[in-house]
Each structure stands twice: as structure tokens, then as C-alpha cells.
Amino acid sequence: MATIDRPFRCEVPVFFATSEGQTRRIAEHLVAVLRDRGFESQAIDMAGPDAVLVDWTSVRGAILGASLHMGKHQKAADRFVRRFAAELNRVPSAFFSVSLSAASKNQKEVDAAESLARAFPAARGWTPANVASVAGRLAYREYGFFVRVLIKWIAKKEGAPTDTSRDYELTNWQEVEALAREMTRHIRARAAA
Ligand SMILES: Cc1cc2nc3c(=O)[nH]c(=O)nc-3n(C[C@H](O)[C@H](O)[C@H](O)COP(=O)(O)O)c2cc1C
């Protein structure tokens, strides 16, 4: 992880914004797959100082992820995309939105999460090649009392587990790996063109 305050190079940065940590885990998994496939990759927190220091001349592709809270993605992701939309548009790019709705048994909720995922880059002048709506994690044991009650209520509505004595991993890791593979295909296709 770069901790220096000057630009650093990265072939495929995976920018993330997270509130309870799941989007970071997904970003780190993407990085592992990309590295496995021979790309130099790094998970970079958009709320931290490193995100603005990436040297875009070194970037061959970029992935960006954020999670939904009360129907919105993190402010750090909003600010970052507004600032770097032009740079993101110059390389193969992908956006993934992490939410509980993506795992809902109610198709309307699944569709709503998908729409919010698509609207996020579109509203900020960014046109990623791929947009994915990815199921996150029910982290009951990490929530304070009020958030636990609220999330249990939402979970019940969506047919998700409601036993608050444990956490539930809802992320489909194969889907995450497919997103990384898709990025490598885009980068290789562009290099071959
Ligand atoms: C306070 C709070 C609000 C949430 N609001 C939504 C929401 O509006 N829609 C949704 O689908 N999921 C919602 N979730 C579920 C999160 O998106 C999900 O837990 C995700 O894994 C969080 O990712 P993160 O750990 O990277 O922040 C909410 C979770 C919390 C704790």
C-alpha cells in the first residue's frame, strides 16, 4: 500500500468506498484475481489520501466499488468519480455497487439496486464498460442497537436472514471473480487492437 504523498503507478487500481468493510473485502478479492492474471493491482480507499495520487499514465484499466446506505453510495465515491470521470473514461473501467437488495428475494428490490448501480456512474459523466450490482454482507454483530433493528427490518422485508446473533455473507464470490476476468479481457482486447 502506498503511503507516500506523491503520485504512484498502478496498472489496475481497484478503488473502493466502504462503511462496514465488505466493499473493501470485495476490492481485495478483485486485486488477488487480477494479480493472479499477471496485472499489477492495488485496492485503494477513496476516502484515504492515496486515491488522488494514482498516476493515470500507468493505468490500463480501473475498477471502482461503493456500497449502498439508505439508497446512496458513499460521498467519497461521489467526489472521486466527479473529479476523475475523464480519466476513468479513457481506460476500460467497471463499477460495482454492493448492497443488501442485490440478494433480495423480491425482484423489484433486485431491479432497484441494479438501477441505482447504473445511475451512479451515469449521473457523474462516467461510462464504465461494466456495471455490477453485488450482494454484500449482513454484519449484525458489528451494528449498534438501532442499526441492527433497522437492518433486521429491511432484511425481513427482503427475505434475508434475521438471526442477529451472527453475520451473513451474501456476496457471490464467483460473480466477483467474473468481474475481474472481464476487466482483464477488456484490457487485453484493447492492447491487441
Ligand atoms: C445503515 C445501513 C443502511 C443500509 N442501507 C441499504 C440500502 O438502502 N439498500 C441496500 O440494498 N442495502 C443497504 N444496506 C446494506 C449494505 O449495503 C450492505 O450491508 C453492504 O454489504 C455494506 O457494504 P460495506 O460494508 O462495504 O459498507 C445498509 C446497511 C446499513 C448498515
Side-chain angles (χ1 to χ4, degrees), residues 55-111:
D55 170 2
W56 283 89
T57 65
S58 66
V59 175
R60 298 178 64 196
I63 304 180
L64 193 149
S67 63
L68 273 182
H69 287 76
M70 300 300 158
K72 289 192 166 158
H73 296 96
Q74 283 85 0
K75 283 210 172 70
D78 171 43
R79 275 194 297 270
F80 186 84
V81 174
R82 285 183 194 285
R83 181 163 168 188
F84 292 103
E87 286 81 354
L88 287 162
N89 283 333
R90 276 200 285 271
V91 293
S93 64
F95 174 61
F96 66 96
S97 169
V98 180
S99 69
L100 189 53
S101 305
S104 180
K105 296 209 166 42
N106 177 346
Q107 188 58 40
K108 273 196 186 148
E109 295 290 336
V110 175
D111 294 345

Side-chain angles (χ1 to χ4, degrees), residues 22 26 29 103 134-136 169-178:
Q22 188 67 359
I26 295 170
H29 197 67
V134 176
E169 181 71 52
L170 304 173
T171 304
N172 178 340
W173 294 99
Q174 272 137 24
E175 196 187 319
V176 171
E177 285 155 21

Side-chain angles (χ1 to χ4, degrees), residues 106-177:
N106 177 346
Q107 188 58 40
K108 273 196 186 148
E109 295 290 336
V110 175
D111 294 345
E114 177 89 34
S115 300
L116 287 171
R118 295 200 172 278
F120 181 80
R124 289 157 182 86
W126 174 31
T127 50
N130 275 349
V131 174
S133 174
V134 176
R137 181 183 171 91
L138 272 170
Y140 284 124
R141 288 184 304 180
E142 285 172 38
Y143 305 147
F145 177 76
F146 290 107
V147 171
R148 195 160 57 239
V149 171
L150 171 74
I151 299 302
K152 183 179 174 179
W153 177 75
I154 296 174
K156 194 169 178 187
K157 233 171 29 125
E158 300 194 354
T162 53
D163 173 3
T164 58
S165 66
R166 48 164 293 201
D167 296 346
Y168 296 88
E169 181 71 52
L170 304 173
T171 304
N172 178 340
W173 294 99
Q174 272 137 24
E175 196 187 319
V176 171
E177 285 155 21

